Amino acid sequence: MGASWFSAQSPGDLFPLGGGVFAFVPHPLPPRLDLDHELSRLLADAALALGRLDGLGHRLPNPHLLIRPFARIEAVGSSRIEGTRASLMDLYAAEAEVPLFPPPEIKDDALEVRNYVRALETSVAMLHELPISIRLLRKAHQTLMEGVRGKNRGPGELRRGQNWIGGHDLPSATYVPPPHHLVPGLLASLERYINQESTRYHPLIDLALVHYQFEAIHPFWDGNGRIGRLLITLMLLDKGLLSQPLLYLSAYFEDTREDYYRLLGKVTNEGDWRSWVGYFLRGVLTQANDALKRSARLVELREQYRSVLQGAHANSTLLLVVDHLFSRPVFTVRQLETELGISFATANKAVARLTQAGILTELTGQRRNRLFAANAVLDLL
């Protein structure tokens, strides 16, 4: 990565590494950003859609019906940006720990996605005790990398050497992050910006700025993109933009992956913050509206199932199992027993009845270690 790649508007300094190669050291936030009419209107639309989504979270009788599957949608999307192939079904199968599900060629990818879910859920829980901080992100990174590819590359530890993105070495890299000795100071500055009481811009714009800054610093050897996207969810909650993690922005980034990387690069090379922020706000608007539509369909399906079963004189336990299908649409009877605190026999009886009603399908064809799926719920997700 040479000096000629950068314009005078680039929001950082070049650090020479020798041989005509430079690392990029981003300036502290915030940059100067002109909120013209188009960007202001986009911000208003995105904030309104996010507010409607947050309102839905407050109105649901059990928001966990959506929180758990939406977290998994986020995990699948964020991991696919990094090249994993695991689907939502593969993730649920990995969590069920059933032999041969997911298939061996996908299993490693599915375990990586499962770790993302764990990192996200752990981090959200830690927000009750800690501010968004280097400590919290290191803990999330440790969970993310535990027992999967990258497990030997310093899980939970800031890198202690020079990394790069793209290419096979530093001279051919498309981006070279700051030298490792500057990383702690850069992260400390970012942590202060995230946690200051008042900022120059709307919190949604700050999300876009912080995500770019974290990606530019690239503080870990591996997993930076996933932690950077997880940080978006944490800030949505921490800044009071959402009361529950119901926005899965990584799905938008995955669908528009070329634009995602191109616009991050335009900030670095040209200082084009406006295009990046506009793209980010469009993502918030798109995914908030999508989450609202999916949520409405899921609630409608839940009411349909409950109506049919109540008409057939279903007991309260069976209705409880039906609700659970929406938070975990692929499961084993043993999982159902554990998560609902009912006996294995009761769980098995409920599953048999729902299978007979066509709500569940058994996937393995086995008598033991059976895996069940609520396909209509999966389709909506």
Side-chain angles (χ1 to χ4, degrees):
M1 192 174 81
S4 62
W5 293 28
F6 301 89
S7 73
Q9 288 72 43
S10 179
D13 298 316
L14 299 183
F15 188 98
L17 299 177
V21 176
F22 293 85
F24 181 77
V25 182
H27 291 156
L29 297 177
R32 179 177 177 179
L33 178 66
D34 294 325
L35 291 178
D36 56 30
H37 175 72
E38 182 182 352
L39 206 58
S40 297
R41 185 180 62 185
L42 188 56
L43 173 61
D45 290 345
L48 178 61
L50 200 61
R52 290 172 59 209
L53 181 60
D54 189 49
L56 174 68
H58 286 289
R59 293 194 306 273
L60 288 173
N62 181 4
H64 286 280
L65 295 179
L66 299 179
I67 292 170
R68 289 180 68 176
F70 280 13
R72 282 153 180 80
I73 291 173
E74 169 66 19
V76 170
S78 186
S79 301
R80 278 188 172 177
I81 295 171
E82 307 301 322
T84 64
R85 299 164 294 163
S87 66
L88 188 61
M89 169 69 87
D90 295 326
L91 169 58
Y92 279 118
E95 291 180 326
E97 298 183 343
V98 173
L100 301 181
F101 281 84
E105 64 271 17
I106 298 294
K107 187 170 184 179
D108 286 346
D109 286 359
L111 294 178
E112 288 189 27
V113 183
R114 184 188 65 179
N115 276 12
Y116 187 98
V117 173
R118 292 175 174 175
L120 178 59
E121 292 178 342
T122 300
S123 301
V124 169
M126 288 178 68
L127 280 181
H128 297 295
E129 305 169 4
L130 290 174
I132 296 176
S133 58
I134 301 171
R135 177 184 170 189
L136 189 153
L137 295 178
R138 286 178 60 184
K139 177 60 179 175
H141 186 262
Q142 182 179 12
T143 304
L144 180 72
M145 307 307 293
E146 184 179 359
V148 297
R149 285 173 291 202
K151 63 184 178 183
N152 298 320
R153 305 196 72 194
E157 300 295 331
L158 302 182
R159 58 181 168 88
R160 299 177 182 177
Q162 185 63 59
N163 57 354
W164 67 86
I165 300 172
H168 58 274
D169 56 14
L170 285 170
S172 63
T174 56
Y175 179 71
V176 180
H180 69 280
H181 68 276
L182 298 179
V183 166
L186 291 167
L187 283 180
S189 175
L190 181 60
E191 180 181 324
R192 288 191 296 271
Y193 183 78
I194 291 171
N195 291 298
Q196 63 185 341
E197 291 186 5
S198 60
T199 59
R200 181 185 300 181
Y201 302 115
H202 187 282
L204 275 180
I205 292 179
D206 277 338
L207 258 69
L209 303 182
V210 167
H211 180 66
Y212 164 81
Q213 193 79 350
F214 183 87
E215 294 302 315
I217 297 169
H218 236 61
F220 302 110
W221 281 117
D222 198 1
N224 291 285
R226 284 166 287 173
I227 295 297
R229 290 184 288 275
L230 184 151
L231 178 57
I232 294 171
T233 300
L234 297 181
M235 286 188 65
L236 284 166
L237 299 173
D238 185 65
K239 301 302 179 184
L241 295 169
L242 285 176
S243 57
Q244 307 286 353
L246 294 174
L247 188 76
Y248 43 100
L249 203 52
S250 289
Y252 179 79
F253 294 156
E254 184 201 354
D255 288 343
T256 58
R257 188 181 312 188
E258 288 187 8
D259 287 340
Y260 174 64
Y261 286 122
R262 178 177 61 83
L263 293 173
L264 284 171
K266 283 192 72 175
V267 177
T268 301
N269 298 331
E270 304 172 23
D272 186 1
W273 288 100
R274 190 199 178 285
S275 295
W276 163 248
V277 170
Y279 165 84
F280 188 93
L281 293 176
R282 280 190 293 276
V284 173
L285 176 60
T286 298
Q287 293 308 118
N289 285 332
D290 185 76
L292 282 164
K293 292 175 183 176
R294 282 180 205 264
S295 301
R297 292 170 185 161
L298 287 165
V299 170
E300 182 181 355
L301 182 63
R302 171 183 178 266
E303 293 308 311
Q304 177 186 328
Y305 284 165
R306 290 176 67 89
S307 176
V308 168
L309 293 168
Q310 284 172 332
H313 308 292
N315 59 31
S316 59
T317 300
L318 189 62
L319 296 177
L320 182 66
V321 172
V322 166
D323 279 357
H324 196 66
L325 303 182
F326 289 83
S327 62
R328 186 176 293 285
V330 181
F331 61 94
T332 64
V333 176
R334 190 67 69 187
Q335 278 181 300
L336 202 59
E337 173 194 15
T338 301
E339 294 179 2
L340 292 184
I342 58 180
S343 70
F344 184 86
T346 299
N348 204 37
K349 184 177 179 180
V351 167
R353 185 165 177 185
L354 293 175
T355 303
Q356 186 178 17
I359 294 173
L360 291 177
T361 301
E362 204 284 313
L363 302 177
T364 67
Q366 301 169 172
R367 299 191 65 174
R368 300 181 61 185
N369 296 316
R370 294 182 301 165
L371 191 65
F372 295 87
N375 288 323
V377 177
L378 275 173
D379 288 344
L380 289 180
L381 292 174

